[in-house]
Amino acid sequence: MFFLGISREPRFSSNREISDRDIFEAVCRRMNGSEDMLFRMTESEFARDGVTDPGMFDAVFHMCRSDRALERLAEIEASGTVVCNSPSGVLNSRRVREVELLSGSGARFATSRVVSTADMPHDWNVFPCWVKRGDSHSIQTDDVCHIADEKALSETLAQMRGRGFDSAVLQEHANGRICKFYGVGAGTLFRYRFLESVGEGRFGLEEYNELGCADVDEDAFRNEVVRIAGILGVDAYGGDAIVSEDGSVTVIDFNDWPSFFICRAAAADAIAGLVREKCSRR
């Protein structure tokens, strides 16, 4: 079989460049069998040049997030080639679209609202809360801000406007212990871990949440995460969740193809297996 693997552009890795590289390399090793041929490109190369003959590939696996790369991937997918993650799923995982799809779906996703950075939402009175850039996942520290009051909200929206962001997501603060989760397919792989220290996070924002382990219904947690992945249309995914005192789970962030830091080998096996399975069903 012929496979194309496309690595993530470093600017989208946000303090996870090495981990993102390592999971991509791990999947590549599993897709390069004795009867397979693996071609590799970087996201910037693919966005700039594309491929001469996309029809030659049985499947493309990628970690792309740039608009141009996703446009090219959509063209390849439309020709009948398996693409993992689907470019539409990656786009659905961008914050504004994610909130639009999950709001009203019944998913246990933190109450969130899309707003214009040009207008102060005076009817929003839930504090503390969070403001997150609307166009993508967090790339730098001030892409996600903890907000104590209306004055801080107004100032933060103005700052995001000044950085060129037209929209932002307001999200209620959920009380409980914070954990990270990772998944592939319809539960083929599911792992999670509770954060024990602020230093385990990327930007130190975990100081606003409780740390340490909590009791959780793992089956219910897995089922909820798989349901959200199905709504968004992604096969390799991860994110953050809050587990309350009663063990219930609220997802606060959901991402396409994370680093799978705590389960890289198992995730690589699961992703490679899923791609091959999709090829067999063509």
Side-chain angles (χ1 to χ4, degrees), residues 4-8 17-31 38-43 60-64 84 257-260 264 268 271:
L4 172 63
I6 309 172
S7 59
R8 178 168 291 156
E17 292 90 344
I18 295 175
S19 294
D20 281 354
R21 179 201 66 195
D22 287 348
I23 182 60
F24 177 74
E25 293 293 340
V27 175
C28 284
R29 287 193 293 272
R30 288 154 176 82
M31 301 303 294
L38 173 65
F39 299 82
R40 299 167 52 144
M41 300 181 76
T42 66
E43 180 171 357
V60 178
F61 60 95
H62 72 96
M63 297 180 72
C64 300
C84 182
W257 201 320
S259 65
F260 291 96
R264 185 176 301 128
I271 293 169

Side-chain angles (χ1 to χ4, degrees), residues 145-157:
C145 300
H146 183 265
I147 303 298
D149 52 37
E150 189 171 302
K151 180 175 182 294
L153 174 57
S154 178
E155 291 173 349
T156 301
L157 288 176

Side-chain angles (χ1 to χ4, degrees), residues 21-227:
R21 179 201 66 195
D22 287 348
I23 182 60
F24 177 74
E25 293 293 340
V27 175
C28 284
R29 287 193 293 272
R30 288 154 176 82
M31 301 303 294
N32 197 16
S34 59
E35 298 182 358
D36 301 317
M37 185 167 289
L38 173 65
F39 299 82
R40 299 167 52 144
M41 300 181 76
T42 66
E43 180 171 357
S44 57
E45 289 171 340
F46 178 71
R48 183 187 66 237
D49 303 326
V51 290
T52 303
D53 182 15
M56 70 177 287
F57 299 110
D58 294 285
V60 178
F61 60 95
H62 72 96
M63 297 180 72
C64 300
R65 284 181 173 167
S66 66
D67 288 341
R68 184 55 180 149
L70 293 174
E71 288 172 1
R72 290 191 182 278
L73 285 166
E75 293 170 0
I76 292 176
E77 186 178 52
S79 72
T81 300
V82 171
V83 178
C84 182
N85 281 312
S86 171
S88 62
V90 178
L91 291 171
N92 287 343
S93 299
R94 291 181 178 179
R95 282 209 176 96
V96 167
R97 184 63 176 150
E98 185 174 279
V99 169
E100 292 172 344
L101 288 170
L102 296 180
S103 296
S105 69
R108 293 195 62 86
F109 188 77
T111 299
S112 304
R113 175 175 165 188
V114 178
V115 298
S116 167
T117 55
D119 301 307
M120 174 64 187
H122 293 289
D123 59 338
W124 179 270
N125 58 4
V126 181
F127 298 100
C129 68
W130 296 85
V131 175
K132 304 181 178 184
R133 65 182 289 179
D135 65 323
S136 74
H137 304 297
S138 302
I139 296 176
Q140 60 188 59
T141 306
D142 51 1
D143 288 347
V144 178
C145 300
H146 183 265
I147 303 298
D149 52 37
E150 189 171 302
K151 180 175 182 294
L153 174 57
S154 178
E155 291 173 349
T156 301
L157 288 176
Q159 290 169 0
M160 287 192 169
R161 183 73 175 178
R163 293 174 60 201
F165 304 144
D166 295 328
S167 62
V169 168
L170 306 185
Q171 189 175 86
E172 288 187 4
H173 178 80
N175 293 316
R177 300 194 181 277
I178 186 168
C179 73
K180 293 190 174 293
F181 61 85
Y182 306 89
V184 176
T188 303
L189 173 132
F190 179 72
R191 300 283 193 279
Y192 65 92
R193 70 179 177 99
F194 288 92
L195 270 60
E196 298 286 347
S197 70
V198 172
E200 291 186 83
R202 287 183 299 171
F203 304 127
L205 296 172
E206 289 73 19
E207 66 179 297
Y208 297 104
N209 297 102
E210 297 175 56
L211 301 171
C213 296
D215 291 330
V216 61
D217 183 333
E218 185 171 325
D219 288 337
F221 191 2
R222 177 192 294 106
N223 291 340
E224 189 59 31
V225 166
V226 168
R227 183 156 80 104

